[in-house]
Amino acid sequence: ILARLNRIDEAFLDLARAWVDLALPGGELWVVGQIDDEMAPLLEIYRKDPSIRFFGHVREGLTRLFSEASVFVLPSIVEGSAKTTYEAMAAGIPVITTANAGSVVQDGVDGYIVPIRSPESIRDRLLYLYENREAAREMGFSARRRIASFTWDTYEDRMISLYRELLESKIAT
């Protein structure tokens, strides 16, 4: 399981609680992101857990982490449009995130959208994907197919189309 956060904050604690409750045999939680100073004391208990690995801020080698992960989790409380969910989908892994992450994940298709501040929901979805590996692979394939349409060219075409519509409606009035 891979979690990549710009910075490790309260949202991570929801994931950490879910993870510890699960105690999945052979499972590892890889955490990528900078640890805020005020969060460091709250993480001490999790740093002692051998199934949780903290990588800190990663600039290079992120592609390898995505390729080795089976699920990506971003339990964001507040986010704009988390690029990292797009990266995970492009890597072909299911994503568990919140509506607040601004992601394009389709709930139950490419992964799951869970409520914010809900370790129980994260736990339940992780358990499902752990116990249903084929379903997890299918979600990963779906994520990769879906994200293929989110290219810069597609974005550019949509923006040009939008501006054209706005100009035409302004000229018509």
Side-chain angles (χ1 to χ4, degrees), residues 22-87:
L22 282 171
L24 297 173
E28 280 191 336
L29 174 60
W30 296 351
V31 183
V32 175
Q34 183 167 336
I35 299 172
D36 289 343
D37 291 339
E38 63 271 9
M39 289 299 296
L42 299 173
L43 299 179
E44 285 310 309
I45 188 170
Y46 300 112
R47 287 180 175 274
K48 295 174 184 170
D49 186 326
S51 72
I52 302 176
R53 293 178 57 194
F54 289 88
F55 287 83
H57 180 72
V58 173
R59 289 185 188 267
E60 296 180 24
L62 196 54
T63 303
R64 180 187 62 79
L65 292 175
F66 275 121
S67 71
E68 293 180 19
S70 57
V71 177
F72 177 76
V73 183
L74 181 69
S76 184
I77 296 171
V78 178
E79 194 81 41
S81 180
K83 184 178 97 173
T84 192
T85 59
Y86 293 75
E87 294 167 336

Side-chain angles (χ1 to χ4, degrees), residues 120-169:
E120 301 80 16
S121 296
I122 296 168
R123 182 196 63 223
D124 293 348
R125 296 309 185 199
L126 283 173
L127 182 59
Y128 176 81
L129 294 171
Y130 178 81
E131 292 177 340
N132 298 278
R133 308 269 172 113
E134 187 55 37
R137 275 192 287 283
E138 286 301 319
M139 284 183 167
F141 292 144
S142 175
R144 183 176 289 153
R145 282 190 303 273
R146 175 156 170 75
I147 209 66
S149 67
F150 288 85
T151 64
W152 284 113
D153 289 338
T154 304
Y155 175 76
E156 178 183 327
D157 291 343
R158 284 189 210 141
M159 292 305 295
I160 290 170
S161 221
L162 176 63
Y163 283 123
R164 191 170 284 132
E165 282 179 40
L166 290 170
L167 284 171
E168 288 171 0
S169 70

Side-chain angles (χ1 to χ4, degrees), residues 70-119:
S70 57
V71 177
F72 177 76
V73 183
L74 181 69
S76 184
I77 296 171
V78 178
E79 194 81 41
S81 180
K83 184 178 97 173
T84 192
T85 59
Y86 293 75
E87 294 167 336
M89 291 174 75
I93 56 177
V95 174
I96 299 173
T97 190
T98 66
N100 294 22
S103 132
V104 296
V105 170
Q106 302 168 100
D107 188 44
V109 178
D110 313 311
Y112 293 106
I113 306 295
V114 298
I116 63 168
R117 306 309 322 251
S118 179

